[in-house]
Amino acid sequence: MRVVVIGAGPAGLLVGSALAGRGHEVVAVERDAGPPPHGHWARRGVMQFHHAHGFRPQVAEVLEEVWPGALGAWLALGAEAITFDIPGAGRVPAGHRSRRETFERALREASAGLPGLSIRQGHVDALCRAGGRVTGVDVDGGRLEADLVIDASGRAGRAASAVRAPSTVGGLCGMAYVDRLYRLRAGAEPGPMANPLAWQGDFDGYQTIVFLHERGYFSVLLVRPTSDTALKALRHEAAFEAACRAIPGLAEWTDPDRAVPVTGVLPGGPLRNAYRGQRGTDGRTAVPGFVSVGDAVATTTPTFGRGVATTFLQCRQLLALLDTETDPRLVGEPFDAWCQDTMLPWVLDHVHMDGDLVRRWQGGDVDLSRRLPSDLILSAAAVDPRIGQASPGYLTMRVMPSCLDSVEPLARAVYQSGWRRPYSPGPTRDELVDITGFALAENGTAPPLAASRRTLTT
């Protein structure tokens, strides 16, 4: 079978390498030239490439099963295996610490010279169609014929828009973020950690997360409501650093005696949760000769670090279906059914959870008129330990989010009693606006910003 893969990111390379190993002829079309032998890899067009990432255990599990050479290359570049101590489950694999750049370098390195797989630099202009099916792609004015086209171009890919129905689930979630990459100085210990992967601070009107990567690298994120234009100033270095000094946990992490910045402040832009099935624009369940995988199907915000895991789980299932499907051109329909059952629930979980968090950031209280979002259910375990018994499957993604349904009434009782999770030590939203505004004024970047009061929107 001749296969064209749109994109040579993690999804494209995983599927492409596995199909090549099965004897198929695979061409992955990618605009980016790949990593330079040394130095910075810009990876233009992939916004999240330089931002914080978490790599759940499913990522290494799929690599070990499907592409062990890539797992070895990733470990050789410094990826660090970690475990979590989860009540009721003991020590469990928790994934790996790594930067996204390190991860993709490993995949590119492992793909070099693989028989049956070639990476062609170029841009896919459109899909080719004949007889009601996709027959290949147009690349920079030329045509590549294919028995199957796999769209692994990510959430921003446009090549399939003419044949694929738009997303009808989710969208912008009302959050935006900025982050910055640092590295610990030689001999310095990490700052405070909530678990072996990250530290999180929850505040009145915003959130901070630190992701520890490999070899002392770490990312600091500041997350805010998109509508909070005053905190948009955090994209400026003076404001970002002032915020880090003012938030106790971040002050420890970014202390100049402990760590040095590696990048400037990186705007992450508005975040989204979205699900897009395989249905075609003509209403058909799937388009013969074509299938989408990865972020092109399911996108979630990075706060729980699920993105690469859900992508690799999709890739494993797609490969399994292609191994058994008598006509690979029709794989889209069974794959769509699997994604509906297995991927959509995680997107819906994030839609509910992230939307409710933004509402609370804007001054709203816990809404007891509907099912509690997952983050509130988990937080209530601090009061009722029985709730924690349901958390391991959810936190490890070994079962669907519905595993929390049985303990939701227990969490509801906790909030009905009047309990609310306390904020982390640090400035309120209004105090942070003042802090960042004065830092910008002192730096000559902008005049002080008034701490405008929040208004609750619904």
Side-chain angles (χ1 to χ4, degrees), residues 19 35 43-44 46 67 74 88 158 172 174 201 203 216 232 252 269 271 287 293 307 309 325 327 351 403 413:
L19 290 177
R43 195 69 166 99
R44 292 180 177 86
V46 183
W67 194 10
W74 190 26
R158 298 290 182 266
L172 294 174
F203 303 91
K232 190 175 181 180
E252 292 185 58
L271 296 171
V287 181
V293 68
E325 181 62 57
D327 186 350
V351 168
C403 69

Side-chain angles (χ1 to χ4, degrees), residues 9-10 13 63 67 70 102-112 312:
L13 288 179
L63 284 178
W67 194 10
T102 302
F103 181 62
E104 286 212 31
R105 278 182 180 273
L107 300 189
R108 279 293 186 106
E109 179 181 302
S111 68
F312 271 33

Side-chain angles (χ1 to χ4, degrees), residues 316-326 331 334-336 338:
R316 180 169 65 184
Q317 180 63 21
L318 178 60
L319 290 167
L321 290 170
L322 287 171
D323 285 342
T324 58
E325 181 62 57
T326 55
V331 74
F335 184 61
D336 189 51
W338 181 88

Side-chain angles (χ1 to χ4, degrees), residues 204 206 228-234 238-240 242-243 245-246 427-443 446-453:
D204 173 26
Y206 65 100
D228 194 337
T229 55
L231 285 182
K232 190 175 181 180
L234 289 166
F240 187 93
R245 290 191 299 270
T428 66
R429 175 268 177 194
D430 290 344
E431 291 169 341
L432 189 62
V433 170
D434 282 338
I435 290 166
T436 55
F438 285 119
L440 290 176
E442 188 175 66
N443 189 60
L449 293 170
S452 58
R453 307 308 302 175

Side-chain angles (χ1 to χ4, degrees), residues 144-407:
L144 281 177
E145 301 290 342
D147 300 301
L148 179 66
V149 174
I150 299 175
D151 177 17
S153 60
R155 65 188 183 191
R158 298 290 182 266
S161 297
V163 301
R164 193 169 173 218
S167 171
T168 57
V169 177
L172 294 174
C173 68
M175 294 179 179
Y177 76 105
V178 294
D179 66 352
R180 192 176 196 186
L181 183 67
Y182 296 79
R183 193 173 192 183
L184 294 170
R185 293 184 180 277
E189 293 295 321
M193 299 283 288
N195 55 59
L197 177 63
W199 173 81
Q200 180 172 314
D202 293 291
F203 303 91
D204 173 26
Y206 65 100
Q207 183 182 72
T208 67
I209 307 174
V210 175
F211 281 99
L212 184 58
H213 306 307
E214 86 284 5
R215 295 178 174 172
Y217 288 101
F218 65 92
S219 293
V220 173
L221 288 79
L222 289 162
V223 192
R224 63 172 176 88
T226 309
S227 60
D228 194 337
T229 55
L231 285 182
K232 190 175 181 180
L234 289 166
R235 70 187 189 278
H236 298 292
E237 184 173 315
F240 187 93
E241 290 299 316
C244 288
R245 290 191 299 270
I247 299 169
L250 298 188
E252 292 185 58
W253 272 101
T254 61
D255 184 336
D257 291 333
R258 183 192 298 269
V260 294
V262 176
T263 67
V265 179
L266 306 172
L271 296 171
R272 68 173 57 240
N273 297 300
Y275 179 84
R276 189 178 182 187
Q278 306 294 330
R279 188 172 296 278
T281 55
D282 60 0
R284 297 174 64 172
T285 303
V287 181
F290 177 80
V291 65
S292 296
V293 68
D295 276 354
V297 174
T299 299
T300 57
T301 59
T303 52
F304 269 72
R306 290 175 173 148
V308 182
T310 55
T311 287
F312 271 33
L313 292 174
Q314 288 180 55
C315 291
R316 180 169 65 184
Q317 180 63 21
L318 178 60
L319 290 167
L321 290 170
L322 287 171
D323 285 342
T324 58
E325 181 62 57
T326 55
D327 186 350
R329 295 172 298 180
L330 303 179
V331 74
E333 186 168 344
F335 184 61
D336 189 51
W338 181 88
C339 288
Q340 285 273 353
D341 291 339
T342 312
M343 294 290 105
L344 179 57
W346 292 109
V347 175
L348 292 174
D349 184 61
H350 267 273
V351 168
H352 184 194
M353 181 168 54
D354 295 339
D356 195 74
L357 179 56
V358 170
R359 185 188 61 82
R360 301 195 310 268
W361 279 347
Q362 295 172 323
D365 193 13
V366 174
D367 183 359
L368 294 172
S369 68
R370 59 176 184 161
R371 183 191 184 277
L372 294 171
S374 297
D375 63 322
L376 289 182
I377 297 174
L378 296 174
S379 295
V383 177
D384 188 340
R386 292 176 296 174
I387 298 170
Q389 296 173 7
S391 67
Y394 176 85
L395 292 172
T396 60
M397 292 182 64
R398 300 301 183 186
V399 293
M400 292 292 100
S402 58
C403 69
L404 297 180
D405 289 350
S406 62
V407 296

